[in-house]
Amino acid sequence: MNLQTRNTNGGSVTGDDGRTESPNEAALLALMETTGYSMVQENGQRKFGGPPPGWDGPPPPRGCEVFVGKIPRDMYEDELVPVFERAGRIYEFRLMMEFSGENRGYAFVMYTTREAAQRSIHLLDNHEIRPGKFIGVCVSLDNCRLFIGSIPKDKTKEEILVEMRKVTEGVVDVIVYPSATDKTKNRGFAFVEYDSHKAAAMARRKLIPGTFQLWGHTIQVDWAEPEKDVDEETMLRVRVLYVRNLMMTTTEETLRQEFSRFKPGTVERVKKLTDYAFVHYHSREDAVTALHLMNGALIDGATIEVTLAKPVRCVYPIFAGSSLSPASLLSLKPGQFSSAVTLLEYYCYKNSWALPEYYLYSTPGQDGKLMLIYKVVISSTRSSFMPDKVCTVLEDAKELAAQNALWNLDCSFLNGSSPGSLSPPLPPVSYGSLSPPPVSNSPGLLSYGCTRAFPYPLSPTTPQRLYIPPNQNPAFF
């Protein structure tokens, strides 16, 4: 439907889905005439562009889209588009719409280049769009991967791929991790990669847990944690290799010998955790050489997979003579926090609330692992929050609980407006410019890679009773 289909007596426009569009029709038509972009409303969103006039070729690659939150409900494309055009050429602007004609408080802006998308984050995150109204802008994670659990452990990658292509469309690949103790079996789960987020969302909707079976087993389906995008410049400096599919018996010394065989003395250090490891090199050049030589090599009877490790955090040198000044938590911007736990403390300070209290609970998982979950209590608001999923790693459970509390606090207390104004972040993007999950039935449902929905009874857990195996800690830097 083109926006130029008008409702002459009310000044508003009605889309194909029966939704009423914004009353500011004249300004929107003027924007379309000035820019040459088309505008279509369907499925609760209004698309401006996609592609823009004169565009020739495929859509922009991954990393060109940003999420915009905390948009005033009565603000539309005629005001928003000129603001976001400051960062670069817009390929498509998607504003989420209510049936009433108001926007839903958030939008997605796809630029023609990654550079423009990054520029918009730097320029417009925490930008005062109206007096006292600040928007949040962060990278949009277009998730194309599903987690499929409760798969029979004797099924191969090829069998899982064939079966998933039978029951869903758009399957590109299946990622299966061999068991740490028996390489002929999988670990009871797989990741299915689709050719688009839409295909993955349709598959997730079809494979409703409890109603769909594969090989006679009721499977678990959820969004996989989106892969962390690291900019090209950072990856060009990486000199650490990530090695997986190792035998449990393979030692760090064996890895050091194998990965330095082509040039003795090149390996700086090795850290092995269960069936995967990180190999640090003195130079980037040697790391790249080892990557090409060792990927697919056989070590202790196992065919290993080797990739460049993605950095977990950005660090910068401190120069001699640099002056250091005491800093208050309140002097920082939300975008400077990389942890939801810290961001939750920040909001408590900002609102003069008591600090959040975390209460740990545990439950046995289906595979015998101890599953963990935190309840967050904020006494000043007389509220408590608990996510609907559990984790195997203590730090992940706390981070998840803080994310869930932030999401619910924003909806209930901070402005009472839109779920888009603040929602659970996904590492490593800035926590001060947050976006909601791509598909969610209710606030607080996260696409968190370590989590599982829990139908189990929970028991309070004290630190003394809690056992976290050393190999569950992924920190290695």
Side-chain angles (χ1 to χ4, degrees):
M1 198 269 332
N2 193 292
L3 192 65
Q4 293 175 351
T5 303
R6 308 187 194 186
N7 179 339
T8 55
N9 60 6
S12 62
V13 184
T14 302
D16 289 341
D17 55 6
R19 295 175 184 267
T20 302
E21 294 176 358
S22 95
N24 198 13
E25 179 192 353
L28 295 178
L29 292 173
L31 175 68
M32 292 164 59
E33 187 174 344
T34 302
T35 62
Y37 281 65
S38 63
M39 191 178 291
V40 176
Q41 178 158 329
E42 58 185 6
N43 300 325
Q45 64 179 349
R46 195 158 58 201
K47 297 180 181 179
F48 173 82
W55 181 268
D56 185 25
R62 181 183 172 92
C64 293
E65 187 175 75
V66 298
F67 168 84
V68 186
K70 298 193 277 190
I71 299 172
R73 293 297 194 98
D74 59 348
M75 180 174 277
Y76 302 99
E77 292 89 345
D78 57 299
E79 291 184 76
L80 292 166
V81 167
V83 172
F84 282 88
E85 280 182 329
R86 297 175 194 169
R89 190 184 184 198
I90 294 174
Y91 177 86
E92 179 182 78
F93 189 104
R94 294 187 290 124
L95 184 63
M96 304 299 114
M97 301 297 295
E98 298 280 14
F99 187 85
S100 64
E102 288 186 324
N103 74 64
R104 294 169 63 186
Y106 65 99
F108 296 89
V109 186
M110 181 179 289
Y111 287 93
T112 55
T113 65
R114 288 192 180 99
E115 292 75 20
Q118 288 299 316
R119 195 179 305 121
S120 72
I121 295 172
H122 293 304
L123 289 175
L124 300 173
D125 183 31
N126 209 31
H127 171 70
E128 191 170 15
I129 197 80
R130 281 183 181 168
K133 300 291 183 180
F134 298 85
I135 57 173
V137 183
C138 70
V139 66
S140 171
L141 297 173
D142 192 15
N143 202 349
C144 300
R145 185 176 292 182
L146 294 182
F147 166 86
I148 311 294
S150 299
I151 290 176
K153 294 185 177 181
D154 60 346
K155 298 300 177 183
T156 64
K157 172 179 177 173
E158 290 70 27
E159 288 175 309
I160 298 170
L161 182 62
V162 168
E163 196 67 19
M164 292 306 300
R165 283 178 171 166
K166 284 181 185 177
V167 297
T168 60
E169 297 180 2
V171 177
V172 175
D173 193 18
V174 168
I175 301 166
V176 180
Y177 293 94
S179 167
T181 54
D182 185 350
K183 298 301 180 183
T184 65
K185 294 183 178 180
N186 68 65
R187 298 189 183 183
F189 64 87
F191 296 97
V192 183
E193 188 83 23
Y194 290 84
D195 58 13
S196 69
H197 173 72
K198 182 178 179 180
M202 294 298 291
R204 181 175 180 265
R205 185 178 302 177
K206 182 177 181 180
L207 304 173
I208 300 172
T211 64
F212 200 93
Q213 291 190 338
L214 289 177
W215 302 290
H217 291 250
T218 299
I219 59 172
Q220 298 174 350
V221 182
D222 205 345
W223 289 106
E225 181 181 358
E227 286 191 277
K228 300 173 183 178
D229 283 328
V230 181
D231 65 89
E232 221 171 293
E233 185 181 347
T234 301
M235 288 304 295
L236 286 173
R237 297 195 299 268
V238 172
R239 52 186 179 84
V240 182
L241 299 183
Y242 170 65
V243 187
R244 75 176 187 92
N245 199 33
L246 294 166
M247 296 296 291
M248 296 287 285
T249 54
T250 298
T251 65
E252 291 182 354
E253 184 55 36
T254 297
L255 292 174
R256 178 183 291 274
Q257 291 174 3
E258 293 293 334
F259 277 82
S260 61
R261 192 179 297 278
F262 73 98
K263 186 178 178 183
T266 55
V267 174
E268 181 182 11
R269 62 191 174 98
V270 176
K271 181 64 178 177
K272 182 174 183 284
L273 303 117
T274 62
D275 62 340
Y276 65 96
F278 297 95
V279 181
H280 298 243
Y281 282 84
H282 290 290
S283 75
R284 158 80 181 186
E285 184 182 357
D286 289 336
V288 173
T289 301
L291 169 66
H292 295 306
L293 291 175
M294 297 302 295
N295 187 35
L298 202 66
I299 295 181
D300 291 340
T303 302
I304 62 171
E305 295 179 21
V306 185
T307 59
L308 286 171
K310 292 186 177 181
V312 295
R313 58 177 65 88
C314 294
V315 294
Y316 303 90
I318 181 169
F319 298 103
S322 299
S323 59
L324 299 177
S325 304
S328 164
L329 193 65
L330 291 176
S331 68
L332 305 179
K333 291 183 178 181
Q336 292 178 277
F337 297 112
S338 62
S339 161
V341 172
T342 309
L343 183 60
L344 181 57
E345 289 186 11
Y346 167 83
Y347 275 106
C348 288
Y349 276 120
K350 188 175 180 181
N351 289 279
S352 300
W353 296 339
L355 289 178
E357 300 171 44
Y358 292 86
Y359 295 88
L360 183 63
Y361 293 81
S362 68
T363 183
Q366 291 179 339
D367 55 2
K369 289 183 179 178
L370 185 66
M371 311 302 288
L372 307 170
I373 187 170
Y374 273 104
K375 179 171 73 173
V376 179
V377 175
I378 301 178
S379 57
S380 299
T381 63
R382 298 183 179 180
S383 56
S384 64
F385 310 100
M386 182 181 282
D388 72 332
K389 298 181 182 179
V390 290
C391 295
T392 57
V393 180
L394 186 64
E395 291 82 359
D396 289 346
K398 192 168 186 178
E399 186 75 3
L400 180 67
Q403 291 176 356
N404 181 62
L406 281 166
W407 167 250
N408 285 285
L409 278 170
D410 180 62
C411 294
S412 304
F413 299 105
L414 297 184
N415 57 30
S417 58
S418 164
S421 56
L422 182 71
S423 66
L426 291 172
V429 300
S430 163
Y431 283 96
S433 48
L434 309 174
S435 61
V439 175
S440 175
N441 297 323
S442 64
L445 297 183
L446 308 183
S447 303
Y448 206 79
C450 70
T451 60
R452 302 288 179 267
F454 65 92
Y456 319 111
L458 298 173
S459 306
T461 302
T462 64
Q464 289 76 21
R465 290 173 53 198
L466 179 64
Y467 171 67
I468 303 294
N471 59 24
Q472 292 295 327
N473 185 358
F476 60 92
F477 286 103

